[in-house]
Amino acid sequence: MKNINKLNIQFYKCFFTILFVMGVNLYSFGQDVIVKLDGEEIESKVLEITPESIKYKLFDFQDGPLRNISKEQVALIIYENGTRENFSKIEVSNELKNISLEETKAFIVEYINKYGYEEDTFKRPYKATFEGNYLRLVVLRRNGVDPVNDGLLYDFSNVYKFQRVSKRSDKLAFINIFVSILKNDRKDKWDKHKLVMRVSGIPEAESIVNALKHLNSLLLEKDAVDAKF
């Protein structure tokens, strides 16, 4: 009889533990996430979007006050159902608007492979390739052939912020972009990351940034078209 009671107690402990875990998981998927341009994430319940601002309540304090944030501070909103709404205004010059996705990708690969380096030294160049519409950047050793690692895979349809090119000298500039990278291939988990690239030349750095902005614009247009079907 005592053994049966022990089994019952263990069963109920397991049962309520499972219920608790399920409840936590359901709760965690019920929020909207406001992603600011500086990368900060606000777990919230978005209530209204006006031409100037986003009105929301904190997800874990929905009985609290209504809050406002300027749309100019927001990169995107990831809604509870997984859809994304982008707010960052990325300007693309008129000269680039007629350049196709494939041409843009080819230009990015060519310029990064010629002028792009790991942020700390000119001794480790980047090797850029595309896997579908994802950009892989691999750091090479000094010989420019052997890879240091497998590199990172970037999703330029999900850019948080393009910063201005940092100009250090005529032959040295830095690119700084907050963008999503693949963190876990098996789970298809992506996370925000700051890409810092050393570039040998200011015009070259500006050209790479403009091409990446155009890539972002083309991918967002493609996603919008795909969503309609």
Side-chain angles (χ1 to χ4, degrees):
M1 190 70 173
K2 289 182 179 179
N3 289 335
I4 293 173
N5 288 335
K6 286 181 179 179
L7 285 172
N8 285 337
I9 291 170
Q10 290 176 352
F11 169 78
Y12 282 115
K13 281 183 178 179
C14 291
F15 177 74
F16 285 113
T17 299
I18 291 169
L19 284 179
F20 174 76
V21 172
M22 287 178 65
V24 169
N25 286 338
L26 289 171
Y27 181 87
S28 65
F29 283 103
Q31 73 246 14
D32 305 318
V33 180
I34 299 172
V35 183
K36 297 173 62 177
L37 289 172
D38 61 6
E40 179 187 351
E41 296 183 356
I42 303 172
E43 294 183 352
S44 62
K45 188 66 177 178
V46 175
L47 300 176
E48 183 182 356
I49 298 177
T50 71
E52 294 80 25
S53 66
I54 297 163
K55 298 181 180 181
Y56 68 96
K57 289 192 174 185
L58 294 177
F59 184 74
D60 58 358
F61 190 35
Q62 294 189 39
D63 293 332
L66 182 67
R67 299 168 183 264
N68 290 273
I69 184 170
S70 171
K71 290 168 75 172
E72 294 181 354
Q73 296 179 265
V74 176
L76 74 156
I77 296 175
I78 306 172
Y79 293 102
E80 61 178 312
N81 63 1
T83 60
R84 296 167 179 260
E85 185 171 1
N86 287 274
F87 292 89
S88 55
K89 297 179 180 178
I90 299 172
E91 296 180 0
V92 177
S93 67
N94 291 329
E95 296 176 358
L96 296 176
K97 289 183 178 178
N98 293 325
I99 299 177
S100 71
L101 178 60
E102 294 306 315
E103 289 172 322
T104 303
K105 288 159 63 174
F107 179 89
I108 290 168
V109 168
E110 178 186 352
Y111 262 59
I112 290 179
N113 289 347
K114 281 184 178 180
Y115 307 110
Y117 297 82
E118 188 182 33
E119 63 176 296
D120 295 326
T121 177
F122 278 126
K123 295 179 181 180
R124 289 191 171 187
Y126 270 125
K127 179 182 179 182
T129 56
F130 274 92
E131 299 177 14
N133 290 328
Y134 299 121
L135 174 64
R136 183 172 292 279
L137 294 179
V138 176
V139 178
L140 302 178
R141 299 190 186 280
R142 190 171 183 174
N143 60 16
V145 177
D146 299 323
V148 174
N149 50 41
D150 293 331
L152 295 175
L153 194 65
Y154 293 83
D155 179 6
F156 271 87
S157 70
N158 189 21
V159 176
Y160 298 93
K161 186 178 183 181
F162 284 99
Q163 293 186 329
R164 292 182 179 178
V165 171
S166 177
K167 305 170 184 177
R168 303 297 176 86
S169 70
D170 291 343
K171 296 182 179 180
L172 174 60
F174 287 91
I175 291 171
N176 299 273
I177 305 169
F178 289 91
V179 58
S180 287
I181 60 168
L182 183 62
K183 293 289 287 186
N184 189 315
D185 191 10
R186 292 182 180 178
K187 296 182 179 180
D188 193 29
K189 181 181 178 183
W190 297 77
D191 200 2
K192 64 178 177 290
H193 171 80
K194 185 178 182 181
L195 167 62
V196 181
M197 183 186 299
R198 174 183 287 252
V199 182
S200 57
I202 294 172
E204 291 77 9
E206 297 281 7
S207 294
I208 293 170
V209 170
N210 287 334
L212 290 171
K213 286 181 178 180
H214 187 50
L215 175 67
N216 171 260
S217 177
L218 290 171
L219 293 177
L220 289 177
E221 288 176 8
K222 183 179 182 300
D223 288 346
V225 171
D226 291 344
K228 292 180 180 179
F229 298 97

